[in-house]
């Protein structure tokens, strides 16, 4: 009988959660960038490992909230901690831990989940052993993790050794078989894939406030099976008038680049023709609009 295991990837922004998530799966599900807070919502994917079904959960980085949307992103991350069988707590191995790392580890202690925490120091290709040992001693004042190691998403052996320990622990401690476990989470919400394809180009190709001030909403979509055509209408919301002109670009060049890039990404996902229409609208200070923020991926 297969065992169903839920794993939550937790940590501050930009420590490599989405990169590790993709590395374990073997393909890009959650896009990552050098900019913090790229991940805004819970991403789930199930992989088969031996007799285990591993539901991997990528989460937004836990950070000091500055607005309602930040509070919502933090709550999304916290919501999976209590229910996960294991917690992958990621810490940047090249830097001394800071207040955001401590914020995360105190949450783990508060929720009483330390017995199933894997403390993973990322970026081991540029990590510093002295920094890691110092970070360990600070973290151990709060929790006693089950497993501690450095890891690199570019080093498959470090990932495989961690997963081997995980499967052995599952077997030895009879962990798993969550009755609420859903095997088909890989059939993810279409709106999420569409919004992320659009947002990916914006995050990777704009700077300053633009990546954080944009929200993508899929207004409507329809698939025409006879023509294998997926028609999509989406809106990019910005919170300042000046951001509209930046995203539109001279003679519409920027928004056309967004559309072409997103269309290409979506063709790979849906394997059909894509007709994508993108609009830009102003919604002032949307990140402090609690009701609207809850709808954003």
């Amino acid at each position: 009988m297969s065992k169903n295991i839920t794993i939550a990837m937790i940590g501050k922004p930009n420590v490599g959660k989405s990169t590790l998530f993709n590395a374990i799966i073997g393909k890009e599900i959650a896009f990552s960038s050098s900019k913090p807070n790229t991940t805004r919502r819970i991403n789930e994917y199930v992989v088969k490992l031996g007799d285990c079904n591993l539901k991997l959960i990528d989460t937004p980085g836990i950070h000091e909230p500055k607005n309602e949307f930040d509070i919502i992103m933090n709550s999304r991350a916290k919501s999976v901690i209590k229910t996960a069988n294991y917690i992958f707590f990621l810490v940047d191995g090249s830097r001394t831990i800071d207040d955001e790392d401590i914020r995360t580890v105190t949450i783990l202690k508060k929720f009483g989940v330390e017995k199933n925490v894997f403390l993973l120091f990322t970026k081991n290709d540029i990590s510093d052993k002295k920094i890691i040992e110092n970070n360990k001693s600070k973290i151990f004042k709060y929790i006693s993790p089950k497993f501690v190691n450095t890891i690199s998403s570019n080093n498959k052996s470090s990932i495989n050794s961690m997963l081997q320990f995980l499967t052995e622990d599952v077997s030895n401690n009879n962990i798993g078989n969550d009755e609420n476990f859903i095997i088909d989470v890989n059939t993810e919400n279409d709106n999420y894939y569409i919004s992320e394809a659009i947002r990916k180009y914006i995050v990777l190709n704009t700077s300053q406030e633009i990546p954080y001030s944009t929200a993508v909403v899929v207004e409507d979509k329809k698939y025409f099976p006879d023509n294998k055509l997926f028609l999509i209408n989406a809106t990019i919301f910005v919170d300042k008038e000046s951001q509209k002109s930046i995203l539109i670009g001279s003679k519409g060049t920027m928004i056309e680049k967004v559309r072409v890039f997103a269309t290409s990404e979506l063709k790979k996902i849906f394997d059909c023709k894509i007709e994508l229409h993108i609009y830009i609208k102003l919604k002032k200070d949307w990140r402090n609009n609690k009701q609207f923020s809850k709808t954003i991926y």
Side-chain angles (χ1 to χ4, degrees):
M1 179 179 178
S2 295
K3 291 193 173 183
N4 300 322
I5 306 298
T6 302
I7 302 168
M9 296 187 179
I10 301 294
K12 72 178 184 182
N14 209 29
V15 292
K17 296 184 297 298
S18 295
T19 304
L20 179 59
F21 178 79
N22 291 332
I24 295 174
I25 294 168
K27 61 181 178 179
E28 183 180 285
I29 298 297
F31 85 85
S32 57
S33 81
S34 59
K35 298 181 177 72
N37 292 127
T38 298
T39 302
R40 289 179 166 181
R41 56 151 280 163
I42 302 299
N43 297 320
E44 297 181 347
Y45 201 89
V46 174
V47 295
K48 183 79 172 175
L49 186 65
D51 65 349
C52 295
N53 296 308
L54 304 182
K55 182 197 288 186
L56 305 172
I57 305 177
D58 183 27
T59 67
I62 296 175
H63 60 290
E64 177 68 36
K66 297 178 181 178
N67 49 57
E68 287 289 342
F69 190 48
D70 286 348
I71 293 172
I72 289 170
M73 284 195 290
N74 278 347
S75 68
R76 287 171 176 171
K78 293 175 185 177
S79 68
V80 303
I81 292 176
K82 293 181 180 179
T83 58
N85 299 115
Y86 291 92
I87 307 293
F88 285 2
F89 174 33
L90 277 64
V91 177
D92 187 337
S94 66
R95 299 174 182 270
T96 300
I97 60 172
D98 58 19
D99 290 344
E100 288 186 330
D101 294 299
I102 297 301
R103 175 188 295 272
T104 304
V105 78
T106 53
I107 290 171
L108 297 178
K109 181 177 178 63
K110 177 183 176 182
F111 287 173
V113 296
E114 63 177 282
K115 66 181 183 298
N116 288 324
V117 169
F118 281 40
L119 174 58
L120 305 175
F121 290 99
T122 61
K123 308 179 184 180
N124 71 353
D125 49 336
I126 58 171
S127 63
D128 184 298
K129 289 183 179 179
K130 290 183 178 179
I131 289 177
I132 288 177
E133 289 304 316
N134 185 46
N135 286 343
K136 283 182 186 178
S137 64
K138 291 179 181 179
I139 292 171
F140 289 170
K141 292 178 181 178
Y142 294 87
I143 61 172
S144 300
K146 171 170 285 190
F147 177 88
V148 182
N149 207 351
T150 58
I151 195 165
S152 171
S153 297
N154 296 321
N155 183 351
K156 202 67 177 177
S157 64
S158 66
I159 296 175
N160 290 339
S161 62
M162 173 194 67
L163 293 177
Q164 182 178 348
F165 181 92
L166 173 73
T167 55
E168 290 172 357
D169 190 71
V170 168
S171 178
N172 294 337
N173 294 286
N174 196 30
I175 297 172
N177 294 324
D178 177 4
E179 62 182 14
N180 296 317
F181 191 92
I182 301 174
I183 298 296
D184 64 349
V185 293
N186 299 356
T187 57
E188 184 48 86
N189 189 305
D190 289 348
N191 287 2
Y192 164 71
Y193 282 123
I194 295 166
S195 63
E196 286 293 89
I198 295 169
R199 200 169 68 86
K200 181 177 180 179
Y201 187 89
I202 296 170
V203 170
L204 297 179
N205 293 280
T206 61
S207 59
Q208 298 180 347
E209 276 294 300
I210 297 292
Y212 311 105
S213 301
T214 53
V216 180
V217 174
V218 178
E219 304 290 359
D220 58 74
K221 60 187 185 295
K222 186 175 181 180
Y223 180 66
F224 298 89
D226 291 343
N227 301 320
K228 289 197 69 177
L229 173 67
F230 199 3
L231 175 63
I232 304 165
N233 291 301
T235 300
I236 301 172
F237 288 95
V238 295
D239 61 13
K240 293 179 182 178
E241 186 66 40
S242 59
Q243 295 162 354
K244 284 181 63 177
S245 59
I246 293 173
L247 283 178
I248 292 171
S250 176
K251 298 181 180 180
T253 53
M254 181 60 175
I255 193 62
E256 178 61 12
K257 288 179 180 178
V258 175
R259 189 194 66 79
V260 170
F261 176 86
T263 298
S264 177
E265 292 284 293
L266 294 173
K267 282 181 179 177
K268 300 173 189 174
I269 295 170
F270 297 111
D271 191 26
C272 67
K273 291 181 285 187
I274 303 291
E275 184 176 327
L276 175 62
H277 301 274
I278 303 176
Y279 309 91
I280 301 178
K281 293 182 181 179
L282 174 66
K283 194 170 186 67
K284 289 185 178 180
D285 199 26
W286 67 262
R287 286 175 288 180
N288 277 312
N289 184 325
K290 188 174 183 179
Q291 185 174 359
F292 179 77
S293 291
K294 285 182 177 179
T295 68
I296 299 304
Y297 288 98

